[in-house]
Amino acid sequence: MSNKMDNPYDNLERIFHEPKRLAMIAAIAESEAGLSFSEIKETCDLTDGNLNRHLKLLEEEKIVIAKKSLAGNRARTIVRLSAAGRRKFVKYLESLEIALQQAAQSMGAKSKSKASVLKGVTA
């Protein structure tokens, strides 16, 4: 494994690899229009404080865009993946898939399908 392309582990970015952030990004990626703060909180079983902390990190890395607005008297935050965030997440998923396939092969597991689990994911 001589370069970054040969070693999928080099592309397993820590920003995605934390379990709750991975859950958040996966949930947000499913919705082109984005998800509300409360939808992410409920889907990923997070407290307000934890969600705020993770969103701040993801915004700093330009993975997500959080748009705040007022809905009546209440503040509403909609979070969606940025274009760069989507590209980075797809690259992360591809690298994770390769790493998992290599691990399965080294343990003697046979792949059920040669098709990529990322077939439907687009950059």
Side-chain angles (χ1 to χ4, degrees):
M1 292 188 205
S2 58
N3 66 42
K4 226 174 159 117
M5 295 302 291
D6 292 335
N7 187 350
Y9 303 108
D10 289 339
N11 293 313
L12 296 179
E13 294 190 45
R14 188 174 203 98
I15 192 74
F16 297 121
H17 214 63
E18 197 284 333
K20 289 296 184 177
R21 279 196 299 269
L22 179 57
M24 289 170 58
I25 293 296
I28 295 166
E30 289 181 27
S31 174
E32 255 185 69
L35 294 177
S36 70
F37 185 92
S38 59
E39 289 171 322
I40 299 167
K41 179 182 165 183
E42 183 179 319
T43 300
C44 300
D45 193 30
L46 291 163
T47 64
D48 286 353
N50 281 337
L51 179 50
N52 273 319
R53 182 177 57 85
H54 288 303
L55 281 178
K56 183 178 179 187
L57 289 170
L58 291 168
E59 283 183 286
E60 288 172 356
E61 292 292 321
K62 304 201 182 325
I63 304 295
V64 299
I65 299 166
K67 185 174 181 178
K68 297 172 186 189
S69 63
L70 286 177
N73 292 346
R74 300 187 73 168
R76 180 169 169 90
T77 301
I78 299 294
V79 181
R80 64 178 179 77
L81 283 181
S82 67
R86 184 171 295 280
R87 284 190 302 273
K88 282 182 165 184
F89 189 54
V90 167
K91 185 175 182 177
Y92 166 83
L93 291 175
E94 290 169 345
S95 296
L96 182 60
E97 181 180 28
I98 291 167
L100 293 173
Q101 286 175 348
Q102 287 176 356
Q105 288 173 357
S106 71
M107 295 176 67
K110 293 186 180 183
S111 174
K112 291 181 183 178
S113 169
K114 297 287 181 188
S116 170
V117 296
L118 299 174
K119 236 188 224 179
V121 178
T122 58

